[in-house]
């Protein structure tokens, strides 16, 4: 008798899930809310670096769109150090004049115009050679392990270097801007990203005993401001919650379309789909647009700290999501079987991979390192588009509308499955087990040094 009961239960459960998946999936393709939302955000506001006017206006636009769709939300403001870009340039002045395509990284200090010789950073042992110079870093010319940018800036400051130029690995005249400090500290010397092509010019000159001279200037500043996160909650029957998170901020060079407009568009789509389908869920879902990821994960850290005493059961992070082909369970190996089961349920999408490889420096981090199971999609972006992230060329025409619909359908279905698991809390790890997991993947020391 028990055998027949289990069979009947299985079919009822499977039918209920498949029916709800059907509705989630169909709504994901019947509208293009996310795509159109992202088009408007990109073309009205451009890049959305935390603390800038563009960032403020984009968050206000998000609130306006949620209101118009009669979707509830709340704003949670927090204080953060914002990098406000001013005027800056890097110019080769000898042996000829050339404006280098460059951008200062976050939290670089202001510097009056200086003109100095350029030397190659070969190791950190040749300290006398770096005094009163501008330093050029090219990856395959450096011996040893390069420290994090803030630490490297401190070392070169002690060596009395004046500035650091970091060559992008990608060709195609692209930059790769980044933050200099995850804590928002002003670094000791200005650091600029320059293109691969410009770096090769300087490198050839240095290797042919032509000492290039560079003129640089930067009047950017760090300003402490109140900035927002936005949360829309879908209410479940119990007190547990799943956090679906994406950063809505971007760098200020392009339009922040790939990083992370696509992730934000998917979250926006999911909110609208759930609002239409109204699936029954045991657990609530917080759909969260966070701020300040690019400068140092400030928004997700603030959200975690504010809500950590609530019953957060799972984090799903959507950062630069393309077309999903599987999932990363971020070291929470016990989740593998449930995700594999889900992949089988959505046969038509060729979800064929589940890995468990945790990594840091995106918005899942504060959940993952505190014992909360975390999932990120494995998702294909068109290869040529990846090189454009953090660059002037991260613009809307590179967004693939199909990927947003596919990701909404797949991730929306996954949310429904996970939000109805009665044992979801059992996948959490206590502190010793979490640290053991992080140590296994050589992340513990970095986490402890933050």
């Amino acid at each position: 008798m028990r055998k027949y009961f289990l069979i009947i239960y299985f079919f009822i459960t499977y039918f209920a899930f498949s029916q709800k998946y059907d509705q989630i999936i169909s709504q994901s393709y019947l509208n293009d809310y996310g795509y159109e939302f992202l088009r408007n955000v990109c073309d009205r506001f451009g890049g959305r670096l935390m603390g800038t006017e563009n960032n403020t206006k984009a968050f206000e636009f998000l609130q306006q769109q949620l209101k118009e769709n009669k979707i509830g939300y709340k704003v949670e403001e927090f204080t953060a150090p914002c990098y406000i870009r001013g005027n800056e340039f890097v110019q080769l002045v000898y042996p000829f004049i050339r404006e280098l395509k460059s951008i200062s990284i976050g939290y670089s200090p202001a510097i009056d115009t200086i003109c100095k010789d350029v030397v190659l950073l070969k190791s950190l042992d040749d300290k006398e050679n770096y005094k009163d110079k501008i330093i050029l870093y090219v990856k395959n010319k450096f011996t040893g392990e390069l420290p994090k940018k803030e630490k490297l800036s401190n070392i070169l400051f002690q060596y009395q270097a004046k500035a650091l130029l970091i060559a992008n690995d990608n060709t195609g005249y692209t930059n790769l801007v980044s933050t200099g400090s995850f804590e928002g500290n002003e670094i000791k010397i200005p650091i600029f990203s320059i293109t691969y092509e410009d770096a090769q010019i300087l490198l050839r000159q240095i290797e042919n005993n032509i000492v290039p001279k560079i003129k640089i200037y930067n009047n950017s500043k760090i300003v402490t401001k109140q900035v927002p996160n936005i949360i829309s909650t879908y209410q479940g029957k119990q007190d547990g919650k799943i956090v679906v998170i994406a950063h809505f901020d971007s760098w200020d060079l392009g339009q922040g379309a790939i990083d992370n407009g696509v992730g934000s568009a998917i979250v926006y789509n999911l909110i609208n789909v759930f609002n239409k389908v109204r699936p029954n869920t045991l657990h609530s879902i917080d759909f969260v647009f966070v701020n300040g990821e690019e400068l140092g994960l400030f928004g997700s850290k603030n959200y975690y700290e504010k809500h950590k005493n609530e019953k957060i059961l799972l984090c799903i992070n959507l950062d630069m999501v393309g077309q999903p082909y599987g999932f990363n369970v971020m070291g929470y190996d016990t989740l593998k079987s449930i995700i594999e089961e889900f992949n089988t349920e959505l046969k038509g999408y060729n979800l064929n991979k589940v890995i468990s490889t945790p990594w840091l420096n995106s918005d899942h981090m504060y959940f993952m390192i505190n014992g909360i199971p975390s999932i990120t999609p494995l998702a294909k972006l068109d290869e040529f588009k990846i090189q454009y992230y953090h660059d002037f060329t991260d613009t809307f025409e590179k967004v693939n509308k199909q990927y947003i619909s596919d990701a909404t359908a797949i991730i929306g279905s996954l949310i429904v499955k996970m939000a109805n698991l009665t044992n979801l809390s059992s996948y959490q790890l206590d502190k010793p087990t979490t640290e053991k997991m992080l140590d296994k993947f050589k992340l513990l020391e970095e986490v402890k040094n933050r």
Side-chain angles (χ1 to χ4, degrees):
M1 188 70 180
R2 177 177 171 78
K3 177 182 176 182
Y4 291 116
F5 173 79
L6 289 173
I7 292 171
I8 292 168
Y9 175 79
F10 170 79
F11 279 111
I12 290 172
T13 304
Y14 181 80
F15 181 76
F17 271 125
S18 64
Q19 289 293 94
K20 198 57 70 176
Y21 291 168
D22 287 349
Q23 293 177 54
I24 293 288
I25 290 167
S26 63
Q27 281 295 330
S28 299
Y29 296 99
L30 285 173
N31 70 75
D32 58 358
Y33 293 129
Y35 182 80
E36 286 302 312
F37 169 72
L38 180 56
R39 180 183 60 79
N40 272 293
V41 168
C42 288
D43 290 342
R44 289 170 184 260
F45 311 111
R48 305 174 296 281
L49 190 61
M50 179 179 71
T52 63
E53 184 177 358
N54 288 3
N55 179 277
T56 299
K57 288 182 176 179
F59 270 93
E60 289 172 351
F61 179 74
L62 170 57
Q63 293 178 63
Q64 174 192 328
Q65 295 302 295
L66 293 173
K67 278 181 186 174
E68 287 182 4
N69 288 319
K70 297 181 171 56
I71 295 169
Y73 69 91
K74 63 181 175 181
V75 179
E76 292 184 349
E77 290 195 330
F78 61 97
T79 303
C82 302
Y83 187 66
I84 309 300
R85 195 179 305 283
N87 297 316
E88 56 183 52
F89 66 80
V90 176
Q91 182 186 50
L92 176 67
V93 295
Y94 178 84
F96 53 84
I97 294 176
R98 175 184 172 89
E99 295 291 332
L100 304 189
K101 187 171 177 241
S102 62
I103 196 77
S104 69
I105 73 167
Y107 305 118
S108 287
I111 187 170
D112 288 334
T113 304
I114 61 167
C115 184
K116 299 293 179 183
D117 293 348
V118 180
V119 297
L120 185 64
L121 183 65
K122 296 179 179 179
S123 75
L124 293 176
D125 299 327
D126 193 14
K127 61 186 292 185
E128 289 304 318
N129 193 38
Y130 303 142
K131 184 177 180 180
D132 205 38
K133 302 291 197 305
I134 293 172
I135 314 301
L136 172 66
Y137 168 76
V138 178
K139 188 175 182 179
N140 63 358
K141 297 296 180 179
F142 182 78
T143 302
E145 185 177 347
L146 194 73
K148 299 289 185 185
K149 294 183 183 73
E150 186 171 11
K151 184 177 181 181
L152 179 59
S153 174
N154 290 340
I155 292 170
L156 292 177
F157 176 77
Q158 292 170 8
Y159 293 172
Q160 299 181 53
K162 296 302 181 183
L164 174 65
L165 310 178
I166 296 181
N168 192 359
D169 292 339
N170 289 328
T171 59
Y173 214 50
T174 57
N175 287 104
L176 181 61
V177 69
S178 59
T179 189
S181 167
F182 278 95
E183 288 71 43
N185 302 320
E186 183 177 81
I187 58 179
K188 293 296 186 181
I189 64 171
I191 299 178
F192 291 84
S193 166
I194 64 170
T195 67
Y196 172 88
E197 290 80 0
D198 283 340
Q200 292 304 306
I201 293 172
L202 299 176
L203 180 60
R204 287 193 300 271
Q205 291 170 340
I206 292 168
E207 290 180 339
N208 283 290
N209 298 314
I210 302 169
V211 181
K213 287 185 180 292
I214 291 284
K215 184 187 290 185
I216 67 171
Y217 173 78
N218 178 34
N219 73 345
S220 302
K221 57 187 178 181
I222 301 169
V223 179
T224 300
K225 290 188 173 186
Q226 288 284 108
V227 296
N229 289 335
I230 291 180
I231 301 105
S232 179
T233 299
Y234 184 81
Q235 197 63 46
K237 297 175 183 176
Q238 298 180 0
D239 59 350
K241 72 164 65 173
I242 292 172
V243 175
V244 180
I245 196 166
H247 71 91
F248 191 44
D249 65 301
S250 75
W251 281 102
D252 52 337
L253 314 188
Q255 293 183 304
I258 299 299
D259 188 13
N260 180 39
V262 289
S264 299
I266 293 162
V267 173
Y268 184 82
N269 232 16
L270 286 166
I271 293 171
N272 281 277
V273 167
F274 270 66
N275 192 51
K276 283 184 176 296
V277 174
R278 305 304 300 175
N280 291 320
T281 62
L282 292 177
H283 311 301
S284 298
I285 301 107
D286 266 6
F287 294 102
V288 188
F289 299 87
V290 290
N291 212 339
E293 189 268 359
E294 298 292 4
L295 283 168
L297 308 181
F298 293 103
S300 54
K301 182 180 182 180
N302 181 269
Y303 175 89
Y304 173 77
E305 290 296 330
K306 188 175 182 66
H307 297 274
K308 64 183 178 182
N309 293 325
E310 299 169 13
K311 195 175 179 182
I312 301 175
L313 302 172
L314 176 70
C315 173
I316 301 175
N317 180 27
L318 306 181
D319 193 355
M320 291 182 65
V321 177
Q323 188 175 49
Y325 60 88
F327 295 93
N328 185 351
V329 297
M330 292 289 173
Y332 289 79
D333 291 348
T334 54
L335 276 177
K336 272 187 171 182
S337 60
I338 196 74
I339 301 301
E340 287 167 350
E341 178 183 88
F342 172 76
N343 287 353
T344 302
E345 290 169 354
L346 265 65
K347 292 185 182 72
Y349 284 102
N350 296 315
L351 299 170
N352 54 28
K353 197 165 187 178
V354 180
I355 66 170
S356 182
T357 308
W359 47 276
L360 306 177
N361 299 339
S362 189
D363 292 308
H364 64 277
M365 188 184 85
Y366 286 102
F367 302 89
M368 180 186 79
I369 67 175
N370 285 289
I372 297 171
S374 300
I375 298 174
T376 61
L378 301 172
K380 179 180 76 71
L381 280 166
D382 298 329
E383 193 64 33
F384 79 94
K385 295 175 184 175
I386 297 172
Q387 76 180 72
Y388 296 133
Y389 94 112
H390 288 203
D391 183 63
F392 295 92
T393 49
D394 183 359
T395 50
F396 180 73
E397 73 277 356
K398 298 177 179 69
V399 173
N400 189 316
K401 182 178 180 180
Q402 179 74 34
Y403 291 175
I404 293 175
S405 296
D406 288 347
T408 302
I410 292 165
I411 295 162
S413 299
L414 178 65
I415 293 167
V416 169
K417 183 178 185 70
M418 304 305 282
N420 282 290
L421 290 180
T422 56
N423 65 338
L424 190 53
S425 61
S426 68
Y427 295 99
Q428 296 193 340
L429 301 180
D430 59 23
K431 185 174 181 180
T433 311
T434 303
E435 290 187 349
K436 185 177 179 181
M437 179 269 287
L438 294 171
D439 190 47
K440 174 185 173 183
F441 292 96
K442 298 180 171 52
L443 298 175
L444 184 59
E445 184 177 352
E446 184 175 348
V447 168
K448 287 186 173 179
N449 287 335
R450 282 180 176 269

